[in-house]
Amino acid sequence: MLISSLQNEKNSTAWVFPGQGSQQLGMGRELLDFPFTQLRLQQAESILGWSIAKLWQSDDHQLSHTQYTQPCLYVYMTLLIDFLKRSGYQPDVVSGYSFGEYLALYAAEAFDFETGLKLIKKRAEIMSRLPQGSMVTLRGFDPEKLQKVVVHTPNVWLANDNLTYAILSGTNEAITSVLSQVSVNRVIPLSVNAAFHTPLVETAAQEFEGILDCVDFQPFVIPVFCSVDFTVSFNINQVKRNLIAQISQPVRWESISRTLVQQGINEAWQIGCGRGLLKSMQQIDPSLKINNIGSTADIDSMVIRDQLKKLSIANAKMINK
């Protein structure tokens, strides 16, 4: 029923949210000029015990450490969501890449800002205690050769399903071993300090499950795409199971993108830094309209565009009368 309802919409829009590793130094700076942001940052500091605004304005590499990265991303993207909604925008479905699923749930009003931040704080603290590991993005390689080497190398896994690039996740030694055996045009280290989406973080998933069970989610006002079982859902228990499973499982964003497009999405907005998630979606459907929303300036541009579009339609109707 959800699929058919999306397909029947003239314009079905998905909001998608990137995960940890998407953060950029300076993100959120322009939001500091708004009184609403200052109120939100005060709420955040009372929960976290440290200032997100200082990290937004700093070039300190502290931002790459999990216990700081996840709360900073959460506050940044929830503000963008709220500014979008205040401007009259609402998605038809939401989805997120790993940590980004919590932003999708916030957009679906599964929890309020403070409840979500308290949950993220505990999640980040658990993950920050994980053994050191690495994640790297690879571009320009032989997929069959890479797959074969990874399968025969302990403590390293492919953490995604994209055909145009690969993400290796594992111990530093294991990743170094793979790279010594496979020719790669470009290796891009991700700003993370653990081997996410591998069995090496299963202990974090188990610890976090007990915490997540104690948090009451509200009924979703927007359907949420579950990344583990590839379904669009309003089911709270299903989504919670997904949040636990995705910690130690690969992110299959290409499969997610393909499913969303097949379900009738014809426009996608990436909320946050960059537009990496949108590239995968547009490769599957080149006609897909895409937008990146990383600042209030991006929102203002959309508002102006939509107002001009409405004016153009109204003028056309007047002419045709």
Side-chain angles (χ1 to χ4, degrees):
M1 185 174 70
L2 288 170
I3 293 177
S4 61
S5 66
L6 288 174
Q7 291 174 335
N8 290 332
E9 290 286 339
K10 187 175 181 181
N11 287 302
S12 297
T13 302
W15 287 5
V16 298
F17 301 88
Q20 187 172 348
S22 68
Q23 69 272 10
Q24 295 177 4
L25 292 173
M27 67 179 187
R29 278 182 185 171
E30 63 93 23
L31 299 175
L32 296 173
D33 295 332
F34 296 90
F36 178 68
T37 299
Q38 294 302 322
L39 176 61
R40 181 62 55 84
L41 291 175
Q42 290 172 13
Q43 290 177 294
E45 188 165 353
S46 69
I47 292 169
L48 299 170
W50 50 270
S51 171
I52 281 185
K54 287 182 179 178
L55 260 68
W56 279 357
Q57 299 177 85
S58 171
D59 60 355
D60 192 340
H61 290 292
Q62 185 179 18
L63 182 61
S64 65
H65 292 279
T66 298
Q67 66 266 40
Y68 301 107
T69 310
Q70 293 187 9
C72 280
L73 281 170
Y74 175 81
V75 174
Y76 167 56
M77 286 191 270
T78 54
L79 281 166
L80 291 175
I81 291 167
D82 290 337
F83 281 123
L84 275 167
K85 289 189 174 184
R86 287 181 168 205
S87 298
Y89 295 103
Q90 191 87 342
D92 297 293
V93 63
V94 290
S95 186
Y97 189 107
S98 186
F99 167 78
E101 290 195 82
Y102 291 88
L103 282 308
L105 287 165
Y106 178 80
E109 300 181 21
F111 41 71
D112 61 24
F113 171 77
E114 291 190 348
T115 299
L117 184 57
K118 289 174 183 177
L119 185 61
I120 293 305
K121 178 177 184 285
K122 291 177 181 177
R123 184 180 190 268
E125 288 171 349
I126 291 170
M127 290 190 162
S128 68
R129 297 196 297 268
L130 289 167
Q132 289 293 306
S134 300
M135 298 180 74
V136 296
T137 297
L138 310 181
R139 295 188 181 275
F141 53 89
D142 181 335
E144 291 186 8
K145 173 70 172 175
L146 178 64
Q147 180 73 40
K148 184 177 179 180
V149 171
V150 169
V151 167
H152 290 91
T153 305
N155 297 322
V156 64
W157 293 264
L158 286 169
N160 74 323
D161 67 344
N162 197 290
L163 297 176
T164 58
Y165 69 91
I167 297 178
L168 287 183
S169 184
T171 63
N172 299 332
E173 296 79 10
I175 290 177
T176 299
S177 176
V178 170
L179 295 179
S180 70
Q181 300 174 66
V182 181
S183 176
V184 180
N185 290 343
R186 190 179 179 198
V187 179
I188 309 167
L190 296 182
S191 297
V192 299
N193 56 356
F196 300 126
H197 304 295
T198 74
L200 296 178
V201 298
E202 182 60 39
T203 55
Q206 293 171 358
E207 184 176 353
F208 186 62
E209 184 173 9
I211 293 170
L212 187 63
D213 285 343
C214 296
V215 178
D216 291 328
F217 283 14
Q218 301 303 309
F220 311 152
V221 300
I222 301 163
V224 177
F225 187 93
C226 295
S227 64
V228 173
D229 50 15
F230 304 111
T231 58
V232 179
S233 179
F234 283 104
N235 187 298
I236 292 173
N237 290 331
Q238 179 186 12
V239 169
K240 281 190 172 185
R241 289 194 300 270
N242 178 78
L243 292 176
I244 298 302
Q246 54 107 303
I247 292 175
S248 58
Q249 292 192 20
V251 179
R252 299 169 63 188
W253 187 256
E254 183 167 316
S255 300
I256 293 169
S257 300
R258 194 173 302 281
T259 304
L260 284 171
V261 168
Q262 289 171 348
Q263 290 181 348
I265 294 301
N266 47 41
E267 190 165 353
W269 300 359
Q270 179 166 328
I271 316 299
C273 300
R275 42 173 57 201
L277 302 183
L278 300 176
K279 290 178 182 178
S280 296
M281 301 181 80
Q282 203 167 47
Q283 283 178 343
I284 293 166
D285 181 6
S287 68
L288 186 73
K289 297 177 184 177
I290 60 173
N291 280 297
N292 170 241
I293 311 299
S295 67
T296 55
D298 293 329
I299 300 172
D300 290 342
S301 295
M302 283 202 314
V303 170
I304 293 171
R305 179 202 67 185
D306 291 343
Q307 287 175 341
L308 290 174
K309 185 177 178 180
K310 289 178 182 178
L311 183 61
S312 177
I313 292 172
N315 287 339
K317 288 180 178 178
M318 290 291 292
I319 293 171
N320 291 331
K321 280 186 177 180

